[in-house]
Each structure stands twice: as structure tokens, then as C-alpha cells.
Amino acid sequence: MTIGLAERVIALKPSASIVARQKVTELQAAGKTIIDLTIGEPDLDTPAHIIEAAISAARGGDTHYTVPMGTPALRKAIVQKLKNDNALEYGLNEVIVGVGAKQLIYEAFAATLNEGDEVIVPAPYWVSYPDIATIHGGKPVIAECPETDGFKLTPQSLKEAITARTKWLVLNSPNNPTGAIYSREELSALAEVLREARHVWVMTDEIYEHLTYEGKALSLGEVAPDLKDRLLIVNGVSKAYAMTGWRIGYAAGPAALIAAMNKLIGQNTSCASSVSQAAAAAALNGDQACVAEAAETFRKRRDRMFELLDGTPGMKLRKPDGAFYFYPSVEGLIGKSTPDGRVLKSDLDVALYLLESAHVAVLDGSAYGMSPYLRMSFGGALEDIEAGCRAVRKSCEALV
């Protein structure tokens, strides 16, 4: 006899990036050499001073439960970070720590969504936004942001997406998968629409905040401080400090929402790791030179990937302003035939062809809500980027 699974779990799609990573791992375990351009994390090591802080905390006996919302030391560091970097004032009761930024998105939706509430998700989007909304009874409303608009939500598109049932708008800048960053003027224009729709809350995912190459990434709260009472900022230490495995995210928002999220965390994970929280506090409080160095490393990788892929037959790409992904159009490859006679009918077909012929793993744009595109990461080692791009180009040139 098998247990009956909940309908919400049956309907839930697995994370595309996690599935891709699992597939790459399986192929590598089978002895195949695969160049992985799907990775959603830096290949850099966590800076030494952060690791030393974790070791010191563990040796000092800081190995016990913390309160669900996070240690006072880490929350103070978050409050100071928001003040220094974003000119935003928050109290300790308005910030919360989670097991990664993803948990805080999950808890925010769990705390606020009722059946049928709508969540506006601009596309292309990070793969988990729609599914996390759906699992909590929400209805994702996908607002397409074409490349002609810089892959960014326009005020008109936002107006058209808002209904009486809208509960949240999700804004991700710098964006995964496109690297797009909203300017001050663009955020101001969106804020004008939101001022008219007073029932709409805004979740800003700012996890790639410091990985920018063409100017600073601004928080909506900086541009429109009057919206702060219905704004939830989600961020973390994973990307900027190469701390993905430490699993520390944080959020800042109105005290009542933070209290509700705190209640939920208390009933599921209890708290984030105490040692990881000590490390995160050291990251936020310490010398930020490591963040600038990481951004410069990724800038060089971005420029090299562009150099190697620019002019690839059937592929059109633009340099991302932030994060560490290219999102090239492969419209020119659709309808082409592989050397063995198969016709490529979708970006998924293109991704599978590159895996088979070039032994390069990339992600199809359909997973991110917009086709025909691919997501290609430059988060990995430069030698892998160079080898992968050359192999991709060669495979594209082989199509007829």
C-alpha cells in the first residue's frame, strides 16, 4: 500500500536548476566529461575571515539553537547593512534570518496567501517564484518582459497585471536569469503605479545586489521610501560572499509580517544554524573588499564569455548588467537540423543537443518563463567557461 500524496505536492514541479545539476552529476558519475554552465552559485571559496569566525564560534560553544528570527548579533549586522548600503532604517523586530533566501520567500507567501490570491511574477523569472506561490494557494500571474524592454517590467504591463485579487508583486534586480537591473527612473515609474494600487505588496529579491557591472543596483525602498510599509526585502550572503552552502538568507519588512514569518519558522526549521549565523555576521560586518573582488572576477568572466559566444550562428546575446548569467536568444537555431537529421523545435531541444554534442550543460528558457532562450552561467571557473563556449559554438556551426 502506498501513501496518498497531497495534491499540492503532485502538482509541484521540481526546481529546474536542481534537476539540471542532478543530471550533470549523474553523467559525470557515469564517466562522462560534462562542462556545467547551469550552476547558480559562485565557484569561489568563502573568504578566510568568514570561515575563521565560524570556527571561533563553534569552538566557543556557539552551537545551540537560536531564536527563530536569528541571533541579535546577525540581525544588528543586517540592520546596519541596510542603513549603510540602502539608506533604509529598520528595527531589530523588522528583520529575520532564514535557511537561505528561498525559505524567506516561502514563509512570506505561507504567511500571506489565501486561496486564489494573485502574485505578479515578471518573466523571465527565477524558477521557484511561481511554484512557491502555487503551493500556498496563490495564483501566479506572469507578466512578460520581452527583450525589447530590456527584460524588465514596464508600468503599463504592471497596470494590466493588477487585479482586485493581487496580493504581491515580485521584483528581482539584478535578475536571474537575464542579469537585468532596474534603474532609478524605472523603479520610480513602477512606484507610481503601486501608489495607486494600495492593496499590492512588493517582494524585492536582491540576492545579486553586489554582483553588478554597469552601476549600482537600487532597492525599491531607496527610490520610493513611502512604500516601505508594504515592502519585503529578501537578500542573503550566498552570492556576494560565496556562502551558498552556509544557507543564510535574511528579510526586512513590516514588523507584523516578520512576526508571522517568525512563527512559521519556529514550527518548521526552528532556526538557521548558529555557526552559519556567526559567519554571516562576520561577512556583513567585515571588510567588504572580498565582495568587490568577486564582482571583478565575474566581470572578467562575463566579458570573456561574450567574446567567445558573440557571433555564434543562430545565437543572439546581450551583456548582462548584473548576476552571473547570459540569457541568449536561440530563435535562429529553431528549425535547424542536427548532423544526424533531428530538427530542433524548441529551446529545450537546443539545450539537449548541446548536452549530447558539445557535452555542455545549459538550461532552457522555458524553465524561466520565456522562450526560445538559454541560461548560461559564468559562475564557474574561467577554463570551463572558455572550453564550454568553444564547444557550444562548434555545435551551433554544425547545424544545417
Side-chain angles (χ1 to χ4, degrees):
M1 182 177 179
T2 59
I3 191 169
L5 297 177
E7 290 181 5
R8 61 181 176 276
V9 173
I10 295 171
L12 183 66
K13 299 190 296 290
S15 166
S17 53
I18 292 175
V19 169
R21 182 61 193 155
Q22 182 177 334
K23 180 65 174 176
V24 170
T25 301
E26 290 171 356
L27 290 170
Q28 290 171 333
K32 296 187 181 296
T33 300
I34 304 295
I35 299 172
D36 187 5
L37 299 184
T38 71
I39 59 173
E41 64 175 330
D43 73 322
L44 309 176
D45 292 331
T46 303
H49 71 280
I50 299 173
I51 293 175
E52 288 303 319
I55 293 171
S56 178
R59 286 179 173 160
D62 192 2
T63 56
H64 303 280
Y65 291 128
T66 76
V67 295
M69 68 193 312
T71 64
L74 179 51
R75 284 184 288 129
K76 286 177 183 176
I78 294 164
V79 166
Q80 193 62 45
K81 180 269 171 210
L82 292 166
K83 183 177 182 179
N84 293 344
D85 293 351
N86 310 108
L88 292 170
E89 298 278 352
Y90 282 94
L92 288 180
N93 65 331
E94 296 176 307
V95 295
I96 191 166
V97 177
V99 183
K102 183 184 287 189
Q103 182 188 19
L104 297 169
I105 295 169
Y106 192 97
E107 306 298 4
F109 285 166
T112 59
L113 290 178
N114 292 307
E115 197 70 32
D117 285 345
E118 295 175 354
V119 178
I120 299 173
V121 181
Y125 48 71
W126 178 53
V127 294
S128 291
Y129 298 138
D131 292 323
I132 294 175
T134 299
I135 202 170
H136 293 298
K139 177 185 176 184
V141 175
I142 307 304
E144 290 196 1
C145 304
E147 189 171 357
T148 51
D149 290 330
F151 295 121
K152 289 181 274 191
L153 184 67
T154 64
Q156 185 59 38
S157 294
L158 176 57
K159 282 182 184 177
E160 291 172 358
I162 292 173
T163 73
R165 294 302 307 269
T166 304
K167 178 65 71 73
W168 286 98
L169 162 67
V170 178
L171 275 183
N172 175 210
S173 176
N175 176 262
N176 173 9
T178 68
I181 298 175
Y182 287 85
S183 68
R184 181 177 293 274
E185 292 72 25
E186 289 165 338
L187 288 174
S188 295
L190 294 176
E192 283 299 315
V193 177
L194 292 165
R195 289 187 182 103
E196 305 246 335
R198 298 188 59 82
H199 64 293
V200 179
W201 284 57
V202 188
M203 178 186 292
T204 61
D205 182 346
E206 303 176 12
I207 195 71
Y208 294 97
E209 174 189 12
H210 293 301
L211 299 182
T212 62
Y213 318 110
E214 309 298 336
K216 183 178 185 289
L218 296 168
S219 176
L220 179 63
E222 296 176 71
V223 176
D226 57 304
L227 298 180
K228 183 184 172 188
D229 63 349
R230 48 193 172 105
L231 174 67
L232 181 71
I233 297 172
V234 178
N235 207 327
V237 296
S238 293
K239 314 297 184 179
Y241 301 94
M243 293 178 68
T244 52
W246 298 80
R247 306 311 303 132
I248 295 292
Y250 60 84
L257 175 57
I258 297 300
M261 294 167 65
N262 182 60
K263 189 188 303 183
L264 288 167
I265 289 174
Q267 292 291 357
N268 50 48
T269 55
S270 295
C271 62
S273 159
S274 58
V275 174
S276 291
Q277 290 189 63
L284 294 177
N285 289 330
D287 186 350
Q288 300 300 297
C290 60
V291 177
E293 290 168 5
E296 185 57 29
T297 295
F298 292 125
R299 177 195 297 277
K300 291 176 181 177
R301 294 177 182 180
R302 177 198 69 158
D303 292 347
R304 183 60 173 149
M305 181 174 271
F306 184 82
E307 179 184 358
L308 291 168
L309 288 179
D310 189 33
T312 298
M315 185 178 289
K316 185 180 70 173
L317 67 162
R318 54 194 290 158
K319 278 189 178 182
D321 292 335
F324 39 71
Y325 312 105
F326 275 88
Y327 199 64
S329 168
V330 290
E331 185 175 5
L333 299 178
I334 306 302
K336 297 279 189 179
S337 296
T338 66
D340 62 1
R342 286 177 296 139
V343 177
L344 301 179
K345 299 179 180 180
S346 67
D347 49 19
L348 179 58
D349 285 347
V350 174
L352 292 173
Y353 166 66
L354 294 177
L355 183 61
E356 295 166 1
S357 65
H359 297 157
V360 175
V362 299
L363 287 165
D364 56 286
S366 58
Y368 297 88
M370 185 171 287
S371 294
Y373 290 85
L374 300 176
R375 194 191 80 164
M376 305 176 70
S377 171
F378 51 93
L382 183 59
E383 56 266 31
D384 288 340
I385 292 169
E386 291 179 335
C389 289
R390 291 190 181 104
V392 165
R393 189 179 191 114
K394 184 178 179 180
S395 288
C396 290
E397 289 171 345
L399 294 168
V400 294

